[in-house]
Amino acid sequence: SQTIHQWPATLVQPVGSPLSLECTVEGTSNPNLYWYRQAAGRGLQLLFYSVGIGQISSEVPQNLSASRPQDRQFILSSKKLLLSDSGFYLCAGSDRVREKLFFGSGTQLSVL
Amino acid sequence: ELKVEQNPLFLSMQEGKNYTIYCNYSTTSDRLYWYRQDPGKSLESLFVLLSNGAVKQEGRLMASLDTKARLSTLHITAAVHDLSATYFCAVEIAGTYKYIFGTGTRLKVLA
């Protein structure tokens, strides 16, 4: 079965500090990968998605970037965090059949 | 502009009652997903609906899809407290690999 490992579970960072969140995928090859952000009590906002190594599509202009250096690795980064970057970040993946979108356990980011 | 709207946003219901959550979307899609999220947790997959007229049931939950009406429903039968959670629908935009999520329905089942 497909599994997404995402870490850390909780992160507290000062404004202006850098960010690196990583997720890795097991159980499928060549997955499509996604980063979503969820503000408190709100829905999921698609930030980035990737259909292959080095291929990144950005959905929302913002202070974040994404990279996919390996087939099963997806990284979310920022050079300087803003207060508005706080939220629950979820990495997700789907296999080539696209019959399921599966999620990691999420990272709760608080920017202070 | 693509919209995936759920109705209602909040739902408080008594145990044993039935209710339906609606998911309307504004784009062409033949794939719709339902998820459950508990507070502070990630999303748990409930149903994947892959064609017009698809109906799936698991326990007290039943989901259906009408792609022509661009409507999916999540029906709750004889609700129990353990069903209290936030429920999301998600649509894959046809011809892309993008999944757009609905606004969510926060369900509270009262004993």
Side-chain angles (χ1 to χ4, degrees):
Chain A
S1 64
Q2 301 116 340
T3 304
I4 290 189
H5 300 281
Q6 188 180 345
W7 66 93
T10 305
L11 189 60
V12 180
Q13 293 284 100
V15 170
S17 64
L19 173 73
S20 181
L21 300 180
E22 183 173 342
C23 79
T24 58
V25 181
E26 287 184 359
T28 186
S29 296
N30 199 20
N32 296 329
L33 295 174
Y34 305 82
W35 279 110
Y36 285 89
R37 178 171 61 198
Q38 185 178 30
R42 305 293 295 275
L44 277 72
Q45 180 187 32
L46 178 61
L47 301 176
F48 301 95
Y49 68 99
S50 170
V51 299
I53 296 173
Q55 300 179 61
I56 307 294
S57 296
S58 174
E59 287 298 297
V60 181
Q62 58 209 332
N63 187 40
L64 302 170
S65 62
S67 62
R68 185 170 177 177
Q70 300 180 41
D71 179 49
R72 300 179 192 182
Q73 183 185 27
F74 204 24
I75 299 171
L76 182 70
S77 303
S78 174
K79 292 183 179 178
K80 289 186 178 181
L81 284 169
L82 306 173
L83 288 174
S84 57
D85 291 324
S86 294
F88 190 46
Y89 287 82
L90 288 157
C91 180
S94 68
D95 58 27
R96 285 295 144 176
V97 181
R98 297 179 358 261
E99 289 192 354
K100 190 174 181 180
L101 182 66
F102 49 100
F103 283 83
S105 54
T107 295
Q108 183 64 54
L109 172 66
S110 298
V111 182
L112 305 176
Chain B
E1 179 187 350
L2 168 63
K3 291 184 178 179
V4 182
E5 297 180 327
Q6 289 180 232
N7 179 37
L9 298 181
F10 299 97
L11 176 57
S12 180
M13 57 191 297
Q14 296 288 330
E15 276 194 328
K17 298 294 186 181
N18 304 333
Y19 209 85
T20 300
I21 298 171
Y22 297 88
C23 173
N24 289 92
Y25 53 97
S26 63
T27 186
T28 300
S29 176
D30 57 3
R31 292 170 180 261
L32 191 133
Y33 306 77
W34 282 98
Y35 289 87
R36 168 182 172 144
Q37 186 181 37
D38 293 298
K41 302 295 185 182
S42 185
L43 275 71
E44 173 190 352
S45 178
L46 295 175
F47 300 107
V48 181
L49 303 169
L50 299 176
S51 62
N52 186 42
V55 177
K56 290 194 174 180
Q57 184 167 2
E58 180 74 32
R60 301 175 187 274
L61 301 177
M62 183 174 69
S64 65
L65 177 61
D66 182 343
T67 58
K68 294 179 181 176
R70 298 183 179 176
L71 171 69
S72 180
T73 61
L74 180 65
H75 186 72
I76 303 161
T77 302
V80 293
H81 180 71
D82 286 351
L83 290 179
S84 297
T86 299
Y87 292 85
F88 290 97
C89 64
V91 171
E92 183 186 357
I93 303 173
T96 76
Y97 298 103
K98 293 166 51 174
Y99 298 81
I100 305 300
F101 279 75
T103 46
T105 296
R106 188 178 299 177
L107 171 65
K108 185 173 183 179
V109 181
L110 305 173

